[in-house]
Amino acid sequence: RNTHTHLVRYIAESLTVLVFLSNGFWSSANCLREVREAVGETKPIILVCEPSVGRGGQPVALSKLECPEEVSATIEPLRCTGI
């Protein structure tokens, strides 16, 4: 509960939310909570993708497929800045 309270406050105080899309990001409850809060607060979201599996990433196309519909509809088109 305390972590959730802090998350809500941090998102509310942020001008923009930076999301680093790594392998398994969309299956993480905490990551989804953060993105959903940012979407709910209508914060600009910057997506950064690591496409290299060897570095803990995954292909951008797979990230797009795994993104929940209620999130992708809001941040569509899902465009990522590679690193």
Side-chain angles (χ1 to χ4, degrees), residues 1-22:
R1 174 82 176 134
N2 193 21
T3 302
H4 179 70
T5 302
H6 286 120
L7 173 80
V8 170
R9 190 179 95 227
Y10 296 148
I11 295 295
E13 292 175 355
S14 297
L15 297 176
T16 301
V17 176
L18 178 68
V19 173
F20 184 81
L21 292 175
S22 58

Side-chain angles (χ1 to χ4, degrees), residues 32-60:
L32 283 172
R33 189 175 296 124
E34 182 178 2
V35 170
R36 286 181 174 132
E37 187 64 32
V39 167
E41 290 285 326
T42 63
K43 299 291 182 172
I45 298 173
I46 298 171
L47 301 173
V48 178
C49 299
E50 171 52 75
S52 172
V53 175
R55 295 175 135 185
Q58 65 183 21
V60 173

